[in-house]
Amino acid sequence: MRKLPKQQRSRALVESLIDATAAVLAEHGLDNTTTNHIADAAGVSVGSLYQYFPDKESLIEALLERMVKDLTTAFNFQLDSQNLGELDLENLARIAIAIGLTTLRANPLYLELMQNWHRLPVMGPLDKLEQYMLNVARLYFLQHFQRYPVDNLQAKLYVLINSTLFTLARYLSQDNNALREQDILNALVDMISNTLGNK
Amino acid sequence: MRKLPKQQRSRALVESLIDATAAVLAEHGLDNTTTNHIADAAGVSVGSLYQYFPDKESLIEALLERMVKDLTTAFNFQLDSQNLGELDLENLARIAIAIGLTTLRANPLYLELMQNWHRLPVMGPLDKLEQYMLNVARLYFLQHFQRYPVDNLQAKLYVLINSTLFTLARYLSQDNNALREQDILNALVDMISNTLGNK
Amino acid sequence: MRKLPKQQRSRALVESLIDATAAVLAEHGLDNTTTNHIADAAGVSVGSLYQYFPDKESLIEALLERMVKDLTTAFNFQLDSQNLGELDLENLARIAIAIGLTTLRANPLYLELMQNWHRLPVMGPLDKLEQYMLNVARLYFLQHFQRYPVDNLQAKLYVLINSTLFTLARYLSQDNNALREQDILNALVDMISNTLGNK
Amino acid sequence: MRKLPKQQRSRALVESLIDATAAVLAEHGLDNTTTNHIADAAGVSVGSLYQYFPDKESLIEALLERMVKDLTTAFNFQLDSQNLGELDLENLARIAIAIGLTTLRANPLYLELMQNWHRLPVMGPLDKLEQYMLNVARLYFLQHFQRYPVDNLQAKLYVLINSTLFTLARYLSQDNNALREQDILNALVDMISNTLGNK
DNA sequence: CATGAATGAGTATTCATTCAT
DNA sequence: AATGAATGAATACTCATTCAT
């Protein structure tokens, strides 16, 4: 019972450092993000920063990991609360993408992050997101094999998941967009359901 | 008549600097690519480098632009030589992707580049490639409107083109891949033809 | 009576900190010897370390002092046990040097220390060793004035003692040595007895 | 003829950087000697410093090397000008030591250096001095073998040379000295001639 | 136009030391 | 007395860019 405070403080510090990383990243841009800035923004000394993170990269990685975790948490929550398993492919895809967009939009930083994703020094966490999506998708198809028998499923899932993730990322990172989000959303959903759905 | 030599020299110098950028990038990695290295590799002084390129980024940008140009040239060549206009959607997609992969593989540097694409300081040229593909695709559909009437064409093309480009890029940038290239290719082609083709 | 335990603990802690300093020094090298490492190795917090030593230098100084104390203790022991006073100069020198080498060799750390002596931040304890040797030597000559009347005794002792100490230190700190220890020893003894002995 | 200026400038810069190293070392002490200070003192940018020296250590090494070179040059000069070969051992030793002291005293920095010699990060150049002295001594004995046949010559020279060098260094590095330089000098000469001279 | 020596702002990281608990 | 989390000053080194020759 008396151990919690210390661990809580540590945890809080770690979180606040990731927050600070996000804030500095958003304000100064990736190139002007220094460890000293981050420490300042977190109201902590640089020394403390290095007590919790081995180097600068790991901070950005942690930030990305948090985003991925937020996304998967949001998905899991919906998967549990609604009976997503009952939905058909099209609606599932639509809802999944909507959840993703909502989660990203909920935290302005994540949008900033998406706008700079191609300059981040680490992509590792993306692999996790890809994996998570692949697993969820595989599970879904295991349960609905009858309804949606698919050739070459593995490759198709890989292609569709990466397509969706990167297309959304690119769409969000382009400022002036002639295309409406609704149309993009529809196109993505079409793409997914047409590729996987049997006709 | 006396101006040409000079312009030719300029042009040759510019090319050799881009070559050098590519070589240094491939050999030393993005992080150890310095302007001095590039100038050395090109057999030129740094000063001269800055005579032709305003900064380091522009060198990499030029390199990317060249890649994009190689790609579009290859596409154009095939588009002209074969009667691609006669092909159905599926075969067109398959051939287009094959051309892209062939062109990238023809220059080992381009593969290196793809493996580091997410760390490049510039993405600009990608826009051009996207634009080019969009234009070609639009043209194709203009000519085959009858055969392939498509709702929401603009958005679908945007989504499909970006999906294809980034999925390929990611596929090429992942070293150990459980998926065979052939399967990826098929999945991409399926995705494209199913999304655009009327059923 | 109740005070002793506390003082004993203090004493034990001080010793264990010096031990730890020695161990860390030997294992990580002078440059990677940090106060935190030392505290860890001693199983104590850094705070406690600073309760007993004002700064890092003082730890190394204490270590050197211990070495000097070990040396003088060994000398004293032999001086008492044998009747060194009865020996002639040559044998005295030979035995003294042998005692020194034996003592240094008995503790592997001391050898490490000698190999880095020129990088140690403190030389202070050396003064004490020099003083001790000077005193012993002076005493010896006081007792044998008749046998060994020497001009300029003070300066000669200073020169010989420093010569012996530093030459041995340098010899021990050079890894690959073409010269055999025995020859060095003989040369040193010759040097001492020829310089001080009357002819 | 047109190449000289550039090389001369380089050479001058190198020299001035070594001078600056010496000056900063003397003024701020070894611990507060930073590469930026040195560059400032040399009236040069840090970047330039690193164009000529790979790291900080190499600067100090160069300084020591210069001192060693000054010493050997002074010795060589005297060896040539006077017929040192004709001198007897005692006078040779006396003159050699005097030359050393004179050379060191001629440049106040060298004295500073001697006072901090045990804190210098490099000892390399000392090896060269030792070697030089050994060579000179060996040559002398080759020519005077008849007059001075010596047992165990190699070891004795090693011992005497290191003894002399380090004793002088230590003497110069001790501020308050009860002993007069003259006495030290005599003691050293006695030590050398008695150890090597046959009686 | 070419050169390449010179620049110097910029930054990640360490570690001796302190002090609130 | 003990702890160890927090501190933050301090520093070697890099590299894009400039400009005198």
Side-chain angles (χ1 to χ4, degrees):
Chain A
M1 281 292 152
R2 272 302 172 81
K3 270 183 294 183
L4 280 187
K6 217 184 289 183
Q7 291 186 12
Q8 274 179 1
R9 245 164 56 87
S10 287
R11 188 129 209 91
L13 203 45
V14 165
E15 289 305 314
S16 105
L17 279 167
I18 299 179
D19 286 341
T21 304
V24 174
L25 215 53
E27 179 153 11
H28 295 83
L30 189 63
D31 287 335
N32 299 318
T33 296
T34 72
T35 48
N36 283 284
H37 278 162
I38 294 174
D40 275 359
V44 175
S45 68
V46 222
S48 291
L49 184 157
Y50 278 92
Q51 208 129 44
Y52 293 99
F53 293 90
D55 52 28
K56 196 179 152 188
E57 264 199 9
S58 63
L59 274 163
I60 295 175
E61 197 165 10
L63 178 55
L64 269 183
E65 249 160 25
R66 189 160 83 181
M67 186 182 81
V68 166
K69 206 176 158 203
D70 277 5
L71 285 170
T72 56
T73 301
F75 286 130
N76 281 332
F77 182 73
Q78 291 285 9
L79 251 58
D80 290 349
S81 72
Q82 301 189 15
N83 253 9
L84 292 196
E86 305 298 309
L87 292 174
D88 64 0
L89 194 54
E90 186 179 324
N91 279 310
L92 181 60
R94 188 175 302 278
I95 287 179
I97 295 175
I99 294 173
L101 284 175
T102 304
T103 306
L104 291 178
R105 289 238 165 77
N107 189 337
L109 162 77
Y110 289 159
L111 280 182
E112 283 276 351
L113 218 53
M114 295 312 286
Q115 272 157 36
N116 289 289
W117 64 274
H118 65 270
R119 311 188 55 183
L120 297 180
V122 281
M123 286 274 108
L126 256 193
D127 289 336
K128 292 191 185 159
L129 186 53
E130 184 192 296
Q131 273 309 313
Y132 171 82
M133 298 304 253
L134 278 172
N135 286 334
V136 170
R138 265 195 223 106
L139 201 62
Y140 179 85
F141 275 88
L142 219 59
Q143 294 170 345
H144 300 73
F145 190 72
Q146 314 287 40
R147 227 197 293 176
Y148 303 113
V150 180
D151 284 347
N152 201 15
L153 181 63
Q154 201 74 331
K156 278 183 179 163
L157 290 179
Y158 175 87
V159 165
L160 285 173
I161 285 169
N162 278 293
S163 290
T164 306
L165 291 179
F166 283 102
T167 301
L168 282 176
R170 181 152 170 84
Y171 179 72
L172 290 175
S173 74
Q174 285 171 322
D175 289 331
N176 54 341
N177 235 311
L179 298 163
R180 290 182 308 142
E181 182 175 315
Q182 196 49 240
D183 291 335
I184 296 292
L185 184 55
N186 286 333
L188 283 169
V189 170
D190 266 15
M191 177 178 85
I192 294 169
S193 58
N194 282 331
T195 305
L196 292 175
N198 54 354
K199 291 125 272 179
Chain B
M1 279 292 151
R2 272 299 172 82
K3 269 184 293 179
L4 276 189
K6 221 185 287 182
Q7 290 186 11
Q8 276 179 3
R9 271 208 340 132
S10 289
R11 188 127 210 94
L13 205 45
V14 165
E15 289 305 312
S16 107
L17 279 167
I18 300 179
D19 286 341
T21 304
V24 174
L25 215 53
E27 179 153 13
H28 294 84
L30 189 63
D31 288 334
N32 299 317
T33 297
T34 71
T35 47
N36 282 285
H37 277 161
I38 294 173
D40 274 0
V44 179
S45 68
V46 223
S48 292
L49 183 155
Y50 278 90
Q51 200 96 42
Y52 294 99
F53 294 91
D55 51 29
K56 196 184 163 186
E57 271 199 5
S58 63
L59 274 163
I60 295 174
E61 195 165 13
L63 178 55
L64 269 182
E65 249 160 26
R66 190 158 84 179
M67 185 181 82
V68 166
K69 205 175 157 204
D70 277 6
L71 284 170
T72 55
T73 301
F75 286 130
N76 282 333
F77 182 72
Q78 290 285 10
L79 252 58
D80 290 351
S81 72
Q82 300 189 16
N83 253 8
L84 292 196
E86 305 298 309
L87 292 174
D88 63 1
L89 194 54
E90 184 178 328
N91 279 312
L92 180 61
R94 188 175 303 277
I95 288 179
I97 295 174
I99 295 173
L101 284 175
T102 305
T103 307
L104 290 178
R105 289 235 164 78
N107 189 337
L109 165 75
Y110 289 159
L111 279 183
E112 283 275 352
L113 222 52
M114 296 311 288
Q115 272 157 35
N116 290 289
W117 63 274
H118 64 268
R119 308 185 54 193
L120 297 178
V122 281
M123 287 272 107
L126 258 192
D127 290 336
K128 292 192 186 159
L129 186 53
E130 183 193 294
Q131 273 310 314
Y132 171 82
M133 300 303 259
L134 278 172
N135 287 334
V136 170
R138 262 192 227 110
L139 202 62
Y140 179 85
F141 275 89
L142 218 59
Q143 294 170 346
H144 300 73
F145 190 73
Q146 314 287 40
R147 228 197 292 175
Y148 303 114
V150 181
D151 285 346
N152 199 17
L153 180 63
Q154 201 72 335
K156 279 184 179 164
L157 290 180
Y158 175 87
V159 165
L160 285 173
I161 286 170
N162 278 293
S163 290
T164 306
L165 292 179
F166 282 102
T167 300
L168 281 176
R170 182 153 171 83
Y171 179 73
L172 290 175
S173 73
Q174 285 172 323
D175 289 331
N176 54 340
N177 234 310
L179 298 162
R180 290 181 310 142
E181 182 174 315
Q182 196 51 239
D183 291 334
I184 296 293
L185 184 56
N186 287 334
L188 283 169
V189 170
D190 268 16
M191 178 177 85
I192 294 169
S193 59
N194 282 331
T195 304
L196 292 176
N198 54 353
K199 292 125 265 179
Chain C
M1 280 292 151
R2 274 298 173 83
K3 270 184 294 181
L4 276 189
K6 221 185 287 183
Q7 289 186 13
Q8 276 179 2
R9 269 201 350 126
S10 289
R11 187 128 210 93
L13 204 46
V14 164
E15 288 305 313
S16 107
L17 279 167
I18 299 179
D19 286 340
T21 304
V24 174
L25 215 54
E27 180 154 11
H28 295 84
L30 189 62
D31 287 334
N32 298 317
T33 296
T34 71
T35 48
N36 283 285
H37 277 161
I38 294 173
D40 274 359
V44 178
S45 69
V46 222
S48 292
L49 184 156
Y50 277 91
Q51 200 96 40
Y52 294 98
F53 293 91
D55 53 27
K56 196 183 161 187
E57 272 199 3
S58 63
L59 274 163
I60 295 175
E61 195 165 12
L63 178 55
L64 268 183
E65 250 160 25
R66 190 157 85 179
M67 185 181 82
V68 165
K69 205 175 157 204
D70 276 7
L71 285 169
T72 55
T73 301
F75 286 131
N76 281 333
F77 182 75
Q78 291 283 10
L79 252 59
D80 290 350
S81 72
Q82 299 189 17
N83 252 10
L84 293 196
E86 304 299 309
L87 292 174
D88 64 1
L89 193 54
E90 185 177 325
N91 279 312
L92 180 61
R94 187 175 302 277
I95 288 178
I97 294 175
I99 295 173
L101 283 175
T102 304
T103 307
L104 290 179
R105 290 237 164 78
N107 189 336
L109 165 76
Y110 289 159
L111 279 182
E112 282 274 352
L113 222 52
M114 296 311 288
Q115 270 157 36
N116 289 289
W117 64 275
H118 65 268
R119 309 186 53 193
L120 296 179
V122 281
M123 287 273 108
L126 257 193
D127 290 336
K128 292 192 186 159
L129 187 54
E130 184 193 294
Q131 273 310 314
Y132 171 83
M133 299 303 257
L134 278 173
N135 286 334
V136 170
R138 264 194 226 106
L139 201 62
Y140 179 86
F141 276 89
L142 217 58
Q143 294 169 345
H144 301 73
F145 190 72
Q146 314 288 41
R147 228 198 292 174
Y148 301 115
V150 180
D151 284 346
N152 199 16
L153 181 63
Q154 199 74 334
K156 279 184 179 163
L157 290 180
Y158 175 87
V159 164
L160 285 173
I161 285 169
N162 278 294
S163 290
T164 306
L165 291 179
F166 283 101
T167 300
L168 281 176
R170 182 153 171 84
Y171 179 73
L172 290 175
S173 73
Q174 284 172 324
D175 289 330
N176 54 341
N177 234 313
L179 298 163
R180 291 181 309 141
E181 183 174 314
Q182 196 50 239
D183 290 336
I184 296 292
L185 183 56
N186 286 334
L188 282 169
V189 170
D190 266 18
M191 177 178 85
I192 293 169
S193 60
N194 281 331
T195 305
L196 291 175
N198 53 354
K199 293 123 269 183
Chain D
M1 280 292 155
R2 272 299 171 83
K3 268 183 296 180
L4 278 187
K6 216 183 291 181
Q7 292 186 12
Q8 274 179 2
R9 245 167 52 91
S10 286
R11 188 129 209 93
L13 203 44
V14 165
E15 290 305 314
S16 106
L17 280 167
I18 299 179
D19 287 341
T21 304
V24 174
L25 216 53
E27 179 155 9
H28 295 83
L30 188 63
D31 288 334
N32 299 317
T33 297
T34 72
T35 47
N36 283 289
H37 278 161
I38 294 174
D40 275 358
V44 176
S45 68
V46 222
S48 290
L49 183 157
Y50 278 92
Q51 208 129 46
Y52 294 99
F53 293 90
D55 51 28
K56 196 179 152 188
E57 263 197 12
S58 63
L59 274 163
I60 295 175
E61 197 165 11
L63 178 55
L64 269 183
E65 248 159 26
R66 190 159 82 180
M67 185 182 83
V68 166
K69 206 176 158 204
D70 276 6
L71 284 169
T72 56
T73 301
F75 287 130
N76 282 332
F77 182 73
Q78 291 284 8
L79 253 59
D80 289 351
S81 71
Q82 301 190 14
N83 253 9
L84 293 197
E86 305 297 310
L87 292 175
D88 64 3
L89 193 53
E90 185 178 325
N91 279 311
L92 180 59
R94 186 175 304 279
I95 287 179
I97 295 174
I99 294 173
L101 285 175
T102 304
T103 307
L104 291 178
R105 289 236 164 78
N107 189 337
L109 163 76
Y110 289 159
L111 280 183
E112 283 275 353
L113 219 52
M114 295 312 285
Q115 272 158 35
N116 290 288
W117 63 275
H118 65 270
R119 311 189 54 185
L120 297 179
V122 281
M123 285 274 108
L126 256 192
D127 289 337
K128 292 193 185 157
L129 186 53
E130 183 193 296
Q131 273 309 314
Y132 171 83
M133 299 303 255
L134 278 172
N135 287 334
V136 169
R138 265 194 225 106
L139 202 62
Y140 179 85
F141 275 88
L142 219 59
Q143 294 170 345
H144 300 74
F145 190 73
Q146 315 287 41
R147 228 198 292 175
Y148 303 114
V150 180
D151 285 345
N152 200 16
L153 180 64
Q154 200 75 331
K156 279 184 180 163
L157 290 180
Y158 175 87
V159 164
L160 284 173
I161 285 169
N162 278 293
S163 290
T164 307
L165 291 179
F166 283 101
T167 301
L168 281 176
R170 182 152 170 84
Y171 179 73
L172 290 175
S173 73
Q174 285 172 322
D175 289 331
N176 54 339
N177 234 312
L179 298 162
R180 289 180 310 141
E181 182 175 316
Q182 196 50 239
D183 290 335
I184 296 293
L185 183 56
N186 286 334
L188 283 169
V189 170
D190 266 17
M191 177 177 85
I192 294 169
S193 59
N194 282 332
T195 305
L196 292 175
N198 55 352
K199 290 123 269 182

